[in-house]
Amino acid sequence: ALRHVGVRESPPGSNQTMFGRWFGTNGVPWCAIFTSYCFDIGAGVVLCRGWHGAGVGPRGVAYVPTLAAWLRATGRAVKQPEPGDLVVFDWDGGEPDHAGIVIRPLRGGRIETVEGNSGDQVQRQTRPRAHVALFGRI
């Protein structure tokens, strides 16, 4: 995941990326697609394989609420993050909004992550745990 930091949408603001092309659905919000790419290409794991839900395809998942539901239903949700875990964010108390991969937990209730579709690119971020809906371990 970290080797893709700096990969941007082209054209800017379009949601068009190499990850969307790989997934087969380009031009849509792509944070979950990025996590699917990293787990499939990097570890041979297809997120949500066999799960019936919105945004699930043969290469993973494109819809964050489906990813969160799968993590919970399959017993993959964990309370304490470790490097390489999935992180699902909820900005407003509704449906989960965004996903990334944990680089490492930090002091003071924060985590360092790598995220696709963060400012129209892949970025490292430092986020407060207050925005975390769940962590998932594969």
Side-chain angles (χ1 to χ4, degrees):
L2 290 171
R3 71 179 171 178
H4 296 293
V5 169
V7 171
R8 298 177 176 276
E9 296 175 5
S10 181
S14 68
N15 282 323
Q16 294 183 23
T17 65
M18 62 179 273
F19 311 108
R21 284 189 300 278
W22 166 85
F23 192 80
T25 305
N26 207 3
V28 299
W30 52 280
C31 62
I33 291 172
F34 174 71
T35 62
S36 292
Y37 176 90
C38 292
F39 274 85
D40 186 15
I41 299 301
V45 173
V46 177
L47 299 179
C48 297
R49 176 176 280 170
W51 188 257
H52 299 288
V56 176
R59 292 191 158 178
V61 62
Y63 188 53
V64 176
T66 299
L67 175 61
W70 176 74
L71 290 168
R72 286 186 180 110
T74 57
R76 291 176 168 93
V78 296
K79 296 204 184 289
Q80 296 301 319
E82 293 181 5
D85 285 346
L86 288 161
V87 56
V88 175
F89 296 99
D90 181 352
W91 307 134
D92 57 11
E95 290 286 322
D97 301 294
H98 187 62
I101 299 171
V102 174
I103 296 172
R104 63 188 172 126
L106 301 170
R107 294 182 187 172
R110 299 172 300 132
I111 55 168
E112 185 178 4
T113 63
V114 59
E115 304 166 18
N117 203 20
S118 178
D120 295 340
Q121 65 182 304
V122 178
Q123 288 191 42
R124 290 175 82 128
Q125 293 284 358
T126 299
R127 304 241 189 230
R129 287 193 191 202
H131 294 295
V132 173
L134 67 98
F135 297 106
R137 184 157 306 138
I138 305 302

